[in-house]
Amino acid sequence: MLLFDQLLSAFGSVAEHCLPSLLRTLFAWYDRQGVDSPLSIELRMRCDSKSKGDVQEKTEKDYLHERRDLAVEFIFCLVLIEVLKQLSVHPGHDDLVMYIENLAFKHFRFREGAQTGPNAQNVNIIADLYAEVIGVLAQSRFQSVRKRFVAELKELRSKEPSPITTHSIISLLMGMKFLELKWFQLKNLKLPFSLCKNATYFLEVKDKDIKHALAGLFVEILVPVAATVKNEVNVPCLKTFVEIIGIIFWLCVYHILKHRDPKMCRVALESLYRLLWVYMIRIKCESNTATQSRLQSIVNSLFPKGSKAIVPRDTPLNIFVKIIQFIAQERLDFAMKEIVFDLLSVGRPIKIILTPERMSIALRAFLVVADSLQQKEGDPPMPRTVGVLPSGNTLRVKRHS
């Protein structure tokens, strides 16, 4: 594996000087492998079914062939991810960019039955790798990727609503999850607002799964951008940005309250946690009335009145402590009176402690806020994300001054 990593690194170094030739050679190698596209496999099986008059099931040989194809795709994507980092110093070459886009977006299309076979996990890994390829490609060919995404989304939206269409839209959205936006792109409303016609699609879409997928995508690509924005930045799109965040706030809260899957509740809470930092620390809230209303709905959802529990359950308490800290940074009175005092049952008779988790959160939050004020630490840093990309590269939220 070490030798393979060294080979990838060598490809990356060579790509700086001769990327077009390297890509053409890589494409020729890929084409010679005779990889069957997922759609061509489905089409072939449907044709066989019609000719034989029965339903064709995949054989063990088919699955082995599919696994071999997935191995080829895996190597192909890893090389692409490494060499495309040098694409910015090679302007033009639209034909090569188009080849990559065609291949990647083909893997973002939903396939019935793909999630049930023995290779299902590997199929998902390859789709994620192609999403990472698109993320790297977009760093230097953003407009091309944006236009392709808009075209694909428009085509899917024009189809009759069905479970397959819903899954196809979600698969397409997941293909965009590794985009790394720059502030000037957000400022010019290039993405994500223009992708969804200033978020009207986001507002109008009825399917909850699509709404949640969109919300997740917005969180992934907007929050890191917001971390780079200086407090004094004032651009026209900031109002739209706040509106989008407000909508996602509501979706996160809805998800936390209604979803029974603990994993999904945790994802929603962490999204809310990161968005709240953007709202309180970077955007510095809205009007007093709007901010009060928004914060109250969040607090009532996480710490229901009259309840002994927190929502969602079985969540690390430090996330709740941080949420209170972020709120206290701009709305200290609200954080103390509406959250900390309430969790401590201030003003209410206590015969026996029935809410240890809530009290623990309140006391820890009080100490964190008090210490921060005493030390004059300023704004708390953005919640850091350390994850691993499908290729194995480390994904981090960078520090910004």
Side-chain angles (χ1 to χ4, degrees), residues 176-177 179 181 191-192 216-225:
M176 300 294 105
K177 63 185 175 183
L179 289 185
L181 289 185
L191 187 83
L217 178 62
F218 283 147
V219 169
E220 289 301 319
I221 65 180
L222 289 180
V223 172
V225 178

Side-chain angles (χ1 to χ4, degrees), residues 10 17 30 32 58 63 82 97 110 164 180 186-188 190 257 274 289 292 349 353 385 395 398:
H17 307 286
Y30 178 83
R32 282 199 302 272
K58 279 187 177 181
Y63 285 122
E82 190 65 36
V97 173
F110 175 75
I164 292 180
E180 293 184 14
L186 179 65
K187 186 168 63 175
N188 293 329
K190 297 298 184 186
L257 292 175
R274 295 164 66 195
T289 303
Q292 184 93 0
I353 296 177
T385 299
L395 176 65
K398 300 176 182 177

Side-chain angles (χ1 to χ4, degrees), residues 86-126:
Q86 304 294 341
L87 188 58
S88 59
V89 296
H90 295 275
H93 305 291
D94 293 343
D95 58 326
L96 302 179
V97 173
M98 184 64 67
Y99 183 99
I100 297 169
E101 285 182 4
N102 289 341
L103 206 52
F105 279 91
K106 185 166 61 179
H107 283 79
F108 299 155
R109 293 172 187 167
F110 175 75
R111 288 188 293 142
E112 283 188 278
Q115 303 301 318
T116 57
N119 294 323
Q121 185 176 1
N122 291 329
V123 169
N124 291 334
I125 289 173
I126 297 303

Side-chain angles (χ1 to χ4, degrees), residues 193-209:
F193 310 128
S194 65
L195 294 187
C196 298
K197 295 184 178 179
N198 290 330
T200 54
Y201 176 52
F202 185 71
L203 294 169
E204 293 170 359
V205 65
K206 303 298 182 184
D207 192 283
K208 288 189 294 185
D209 290 333

Side-chain angles (χ1 to χ4, degrees), residues 251-253 255-256 262-276 298 301-303 310-320 323:
L251 278 171
C252 289
V253 168
H255 216 85
I256 290 169
K263 183 179 178 181
M264 292 305 297
C265 286
R266 176 67 181 274
V267 170
L269 179 64
E270 291 190 357
S271 296
L272 179 67
Y273 160 62
R274 295 164 66 195
L275 282 167
L276 190 61
I298 292 171
S301 302
L302 300 180
F303 312 111
I310 54 176
V311 180
R313 299 173 183 270
D314 302 321
T315 301
L317 301 187
N318 67 297
I319 292 182
F320 296 103
I323 285 174

Side-chain angles (χ1 to χ4, degrees), residues 49-110:
S49 298
K50 288 180 180 179
S51 63
K52 296 181 180 180
D54 57 0
V55 177
Q56 285 290 104
E57 297 289 339
K58 279 187 177 181
T59 64
E60 184 177 353
K61 184 178 179 181
D62 290 327
Y63 285 122
L64 286 173
H65 184 74
E66 183 182 50
R67 187 178 301 173
R68 178 260 179 196
D69 286 351
L70 291 170
V72 172
E73 301 270 21
F74 183 79
I75 295 171
F76 180 69
C77 286
L78 290 183
V79 177
L80 276 179
I81 290 165
E82 190 65 36
V83 302
L84 286 177
K85 296 172 184 176
Q86 304 294 341
L87 188 58
S88 59
V89 296
H90 295 275
H93 305 291
D94 293 343
D95 58 326
L96 302 179
V97 173
M98 184 64 67
Y99 183 99
I100 297 169
E101 285 182 4
N102 289 341
L103 206 52
F105 279 91
K106 185 166 61 179
H107 283 79
F108 299 155
R109 293 172 187 167
F110 175 75

